[in-house]
Amino acid sequence: MPRPTAGMKAIADEIDRLNERTERIEKMLLALVTRFQIPVDGIDTGASAADDPVLPRHATTVSGGQPVSKKRDADGTLVPPPLTSINIPKPEPFTYPPIIATEREIRLLKVLSTSSTDVPMRFKLRSFELGPEQREYQQPSSLFSFGNKTPSAPTTHPAYNALSYTWGSPEKTSFIVVNGSQFPVTPNLEAALRRLHGTVQYLWVDAICINQDDIHERNSQVSLMRSIYKTASRVCVWLGEEADDSALAMDAIAKLANAPHRAPGQAIQPYATPSNEQKLQTWSALWALFQRPWFSRVWVRQEIALGSDVGFYCGQHSCNYNDLEFAVRGMDWLYGEIGYHPSPAVRTLDILNPPYHYFKLIDKVTTLVDHGRQFAPLEDLLANTQSCNATDSRDKIYAVLGLADPEIYNIKPDYGRPPRETYMAATRRMVEGSNSLSVLNVSPNPHRVHGLPSWVPDFSGERKMRPIPQPPSKGHFSEPKRIEFVSKAQKQCLQVEGDLIDQVRAVSDWLISTSDDDDRLHKIFAQWRTFVRQADVRAAPSGNGLFGHASSWKRLVGETLDSKISDSLAEEEWLSFLSLKGGSLGFKFGFQTGSREHTRIQSAAQTLLLPEGYSPKPKPYPSLYRYMRQNAFGRRICLTHRCEVALVSDEAKVGDKLCLLHGNPVVLLLRKEGSAHTLVGDACMFLSLPHPANLLTMQQTFIIHSILTNAPRKLTKRT
């Protein structure tokens, strides 16, 4: 197919104008026919909507296929048909008008229907230019140093809203009329278009404005997603039709977000206290709302983070982004801090990740990019989308490219490339573009899923564990000395410099899953303490260990070389260990404890959601359980040859090496296999990183690749 030219575009625009003029004339003529009851030859009185699914109900046809209403009022006067039945879709298949990708053209959907009840709804698809791409952020020194925003260039497109939604059922059983032809859509999309009728004249909808069957066009349009959502007047989120008490949930969100303020000297104006039964019903409604598919969709992170104004629509109810954020903070305080876990009917099997946790991840991305005002490291964005859902596994990467600096990563969407090649190319670009190995922490892939090398994360699967955050002080380990991509025996290998600091000597049998409740965590913690206390240390080196302190084994069992410390102090050491000792992923959800907003949200959440007389069950180690659940799920503890304790992945085995690779300040587990190593995962040592002076004799070169002869094994929970 020849690429469209400016001349072809001018012809297409002229045809659009003629079609619109013809439609107006047809409306006028049909209005005259029906108003004055002018006889028309060729009326097919037998045609009905039941006979032809294209034809609206209560309509018949005249010559030329135009419908005439057969309804009459009380006086017998023929009632003019609604505008829904004036333009009947043509039977010809829909053909996309051409766009010029090099000129950053997009299509916008112009609403022609005069009512949301039109059957079918009518639209015109038109092409517009977004204008030249602008370098919005300047980063003169580092990834995290952002300059001022460059003023945007003038554009030729009208104001429009961008739709954010899920396709729902893949079956396109509904249809609309676009450019006079039938256009099949999913029922959920049709419902969204009806709900948003009247909000704006133009809409951008991916399933309609992009030719999904044209890979070349998909590639070019996905590259424009950042500009499309950032330029939109509003991002409209369609959560779906009313169901599962969603009206009650939306009402609760409004109340939580608009809890009464109290000025100095004024008494608090509380809400009317609902009954315990009503509170449980409200909690169940909120729980169901946050389980809707939209929240787990991978593309919504970029769509919301870039939107200057975001509105949520569910049935006939709506709220804005801040309303939802306030409500989630109230729920998170009750569920996470107070420990309010209602009856099994509204509980989740995944205690760590209640339904609203997907919104927390969306808010995290929005914070990372400062509502589209700065870029974020692509590795951090991909760690966030690991548990999200995508119809196409390549979208796990493509869906967040608009939030990362294109000059650093330079990754172009290419739906003609298989997922395996997409993941390998993206990982290599992250290593080379950022001059860092931090991507190795995102999602370890020791089983080489999809035939990938072990140094390439499996972006398509569920996150099996939370990445170990980088320490506050990265030291010299964050500076790469040599990173090379080489081929050995037809395998793609990563060759790096690093230091061997220890080896695994024993591994605990018990690990944590996200569904473990407090009773289970108590048993695991007791087993871990017993494992450390009973570890055979006779073969361990004497002295204070590699780190220049009393070894972590002695600290965690409550012993030093010449004295004993109390159990409570040992528990504090465990707390410090499992909290990852101040390592941070750069995000904390919620208001500052004790702030006015925090107190206001707590009060509203307690009034609307917490049953009267509720008393949380006492926990012996509440903070410890929280850290175990947040930081140690999917992990076990191990003892090293130097009597140090580390938090490692479920895949760890005796003999695995704990290494520091230059370019990544997080400890990694490597397993020797043949002439190279397999990357097993990351690890957290109980004590801080060793001083470089202790490692000079251990520096070596590591070659990391995949051993494709090993069949992947199914992960099982050890008990």
Side-chain angles (χ1 to χ4, degrees):
M1 178 179 177
R3 295 180 61 82
T5 63
M8 293 171 62
K9 180 177 179 299
I11 294 173
D13 288 343
E14 182 62 26
I15 292 174
D16 284 346
R17 285 191 291 270
L18 290 174
N19 284 336
E20 290 179 357
R21 185 177 180 184
T22 302
E23 289 174 0
R24 289 196 298 270
I25 294 172
E26 288 175 348
K27 289 181 184 180
M28 294 171 60
L29 290 175
L30 187 56
L32 290 172
V33 167
T34 56
R35 180 176 180 82
F36 297 104
Q37 305 180 46
I38 301 174
V40 180
D41 294 334
I43 292 182
D44 180 8
T45 57
S48 69
D51 299 323
D52 186 351
V54 171
L55 202 61
R57 297 191 182 276
H58 308 300
T60 184
T61 57
V62 299
S63 299
Q66 296 296 347
V68 174
S69 173
K70 294 164 62 178
K71 288 184 176 181
R72 296 178 182 272
D73 60 18
D75 298 328
T77 304
L78 195 66
V79 178
L83 291 180
T84 61
S85 49
I86 290 178
N87 287 285
I88 303 304
K90 302 172 185 176
E92 295 86 0
F94 176 81
T95 303
Y96 273 94
I99 56 175
I100 306 176
T102 55
E103 295 187 11
R104 288 171 51 84
E105 277 195 350
I106 63 170
R107 301 186 187 96
L108 294 177
L109 200 61
K110 182 180 180 181
V111 181
L112 298 181
S113 294
T114 58
S115 170
S116 62
T117 60
D118 285 3
V119 181
M121 295 192 70
R122 299 167 47 255
F123 301 88
K124 173 70 70 175
L125 200 59
R126 300 187 60 186
S127 302
F128 296 95
E129 291 182 16
L130 275 176
E133 185 174 7
Q134 296 292 310
R135 171 65 179 173
E136 295 185 345
Y137 308 111
Q138 299 180 8
Q139 300 168 319
S141 57
S142 70
L143 270 173
F144 306 99
S145 175
F146 301 100
N148 296 325
K149 182 175 178 178
T150 304
S152 57
T155 58
T156 60
H157 61 78
Y160 66 92
N161 288 354
L163 179 63
S164 177
Y165 72 110
T166 58
W167 283 34
S169 169
E171 300 297 327
K172 297 181 179 180
T173 56
S174 300
F175 74 87
I176 59 177
V177 177
V178 179
N179 294 359
S181 296
Q182 291 187 41
F183 192 102
V185 294
T186 63
N188 192 50
L189 177 52
E190 184 194 22
L193 294 173
R194 293 190 182 283
R195 175 61 178 87
L196 297 177
H197 183 276
T199 59
V200 73
Q201 188 178 17
Y202 284 92
L203 287 166
W204 186 88
V205 184
D206 60 350
I208 302 175
C209 297
I210 299 177
N211 184 355
Q212 301 292 331
D213 296 326
D214 186 335
I215 291 181
H216 175 75
E217 180 174 308
R218 283 178 66 194
N219 292 342
S220 64
Q221 291 290 290
V222 168
S223 298
L224 297 176
M225 286 289 198
R226 175 184 179 85
S227 299
I228 290 171
Y229 277 92
K230 198 165 179 57
T231 308
S233 301
R234 187 173 223 219
V235 175
C236 299
V237 176
W238 173 244
L239 297 177
E241 296 280 25
E242 185 174 329
D244 302 318
D245 283 333
S246 58
L248 178 62
M250 296 295 283
D251 180 65
I253 288 171
K255 289 179 177 177
L256 287 167
N258 298 284
H261 289 269
R262 181 173 67 91
Q266 291 182 340
I268 267 188
Q269 301 295 324
Y271 287 125
T273 303
S275 67
N276 284 356
E277 182 180 353
Q278 291 172 323
K279 290 181 178 182
L280 183 59
Q281 185 182 5
T282 301
W283 183 275
S284 301
L286 288 166
W287 217 246
L289 182 71
F290 285 106
Q291 286 179 312
R292 295 200 175 203
W294 180 87
F295 290 97
S296 61
R297 180 174 168 260
V298 68
W299 277 101
V300 307
R301 275 91 186 120
Q302 175 174 271
E303 295 164 2
I304 301 307
L306 295 175
S308 58
D309 178 30
V310 180
F312 290 82
Y313 300 82
C314 183
Q316 296 304 308
H317 298 266
S318 63
C319 66
N320 60 37
Y321 183 90
N322 290 337
D323 293 340
L324 214 59
E325 184 181 7
F326 272 71
V328 169
R329 285 171 174 171
M331 295 180 69
D332 198 42
W333 174 71
L334 289 176
Y335 189 82
E337 298 294 329
I338 301 300
Y340 175 51
H341 299 172
S343 66
V346 293
R347 240 184 239 160
T348 172
L349 293 177
D350 190 344
I351 295 178
L352 174 64
N353 300 319
Y356 61 78
H357 94 283
Y358 280 111
F359 181 82
K360 293 174 64 176
L361 294 178
I362 294 171
D363 197 66
K364 176 181 176 179
V365 169
T366 303
T367 301
L368 281 173
V369 300
D370 192 17
H371 296 271
R373 287 185 282 270
Q374 65 185 29
F375 292 118
L378 185 55
E379 303 90 315
D380 291 353
L381 296 170
L382 292 175
N384 179 276
T385 62
Q386 188 71 34
S387 60
C388 296
N389 296 323
T391 304
D392 190 318
S393 61
R394 292 164 291 193
D395 285 339
K396 287 289 190 79
I397 293 175
Y398 297 158
V400 293
L401 288 182
L403 305 177
D405 193 335
E407 293 190 4
I408 292 178
Y409 301 103
N410 192 30
I411 300 173
K412 302 293 185 183
D414 184 357
Y415 287 97
R417 172 183 282 177
R420 179 180 182 274
E421 294 182 16
T422 300
Y423 293 167
M424 288 186 64
T427 302
R428 182 163 182 167
R429 283 302 308 143
M430 281 183 273
V431 171
E432 295 174 336
S434 62
N435 198 29
S436 165
L437 295 174
S438 58
V439 68
L440 301 184
N441 310 346
V442 172
S443 182
N445 185 22
H447 298 305
R448 284 78 67 178
V449 177
H450 305 305
L452 294 166
S454 63
W455 52 267
V456 178
D458 175 24
F459 298 108
S460 67
E462 283 287 335
R463 186 176 65 180
K464 299 178 178 66
M465 65 194 76
R466 180 187 181 188
I468 299 295
Q470 296 186 358
S473 178
K474 301 177 183 179
H476 85 301
F477 300 107
S478 61
E479 302 173 3
K481 292 187 176 180
R482 186 182 62 161
I483 299 177
E484 294 183 274
F485 293 92
V486 297
S487 295
K488 291 184 179 292
Q490 297 183 338
K491 298 182 179 70
Q492 293 293 322
C493 303
L494 174 65
Q495 184 168 300
V496 296
E497 298 288 339
D499 299 294
L500 171 64
I501 60 175
D502 214 333
Q503 280 187 280
V504 175
R505 187 162 64 89
V507 184
S508 167
D509 289 331
W510 288 39
L511 78 154
I512 298 173
S513 74
T514 57
S515 60
D516 287 336
D517 58 18
D518 289 346
D519 291 337
R520 174 70 177 173
L521 293 179
H522 183 75
K523 292 177 182 178
I524 294 175
F525 177 54
Q527 195 277 341
W528 281 4
R529 293 187 66 176
T530 300
F531 168 78
V532 174
R533 185 178 292 112
Q534 295 178 350
D536 182 4
V537 296
R538 288 174 296 177
S542 59
N544 286 340
L546 176 68
F547 294 85
H549 305 285
S551 70
S552 55
W553 175 83
K554 299 178 188 296
R555 298 267 293 273
L556 293 174
V557 299
E559 294 182 359
T560 62
L561 293 176
D562 54 7
S563 66
K564 288 184 176 291
I565 57 177
S566 67
D567 274 352
S568 61
L569 187 53
E571 289 161 13
E572 289 296 324
E573 297 285 0
W574 277 99
L575 188 63
S576 173
F577 174 37
L578 295 173
S579 68
L580 305 185
K581 298 170 297 184
S584 173
L585 293 178
F587 174 76
K588 181 174 177 59
F589 184 80
F591 296 112
Q592 181 179 356
T593 302
S595 68
R596 181 191 302 177
E597 293 296 340
H598 185 262
T599 303
R600 187 166 68 92
I601 287 295
Q602 284 184 357
S603 175
Q606 184 170 351
T607 300
L608 296 172
L609 299 173
L610 190 65
E612 292 290 335
Y614 172 79
S615 178
K617 180 181 177 181
K619 304 175 186 178
Y621 311 111
S623 297
L624 191 66
Y625 296 156
R626 183 170 68 252
Y627 286 130
M628 289 175 71
R629 190 173 286 124
Q630 289 178 352
N631 302 328
F633 71 92
R635 297 184 182 274
R636 296 178 285 150
I637 58 170
C638 77
L639 192 68
T640 72
H641 280 281
R642 297 180 178 271
C643 285
E644 302 300 338
V645 176
L647 193 64
V648 294
S649 76
D650 178 41
E651 301 297 325
K653 294 181 179 179
V654 173
D656 287 348
K657 301 176 181 179
L658 289 100
C659 306
L660 279 168
L661 305 183
H662 297 288
N664 188 347
V666 174
V667 176
L668 297 177
L669 278 176
L670 298 182
R671 182 175 300 152
K672 183 77 172 184
E673 293 186 348
S675 60
H677 291 80
T678 291
L679 175 63
V680 178
D682 54 3
C684 178
M685 306 289 288
F686 170 70
L687 295 175
S688 57
L689 298 179
H691 191 276
N694 296 334
L695 299 173
L696 293 179
T697 58
M698 296 182 234
Q699 182 172 320
Q700 56 185 273
T701 298
F702 296 96
I703 298 176
I704 306 173
H705 70 180
S706 61
I707 309 297
L708 299 179
T709 56
N710 289 352
R713 67 176 178 85
K714 183 179 180 180
L715 286 177
T716 57
K717 178 178 177 181
R718 300 171 185 261
T719 57

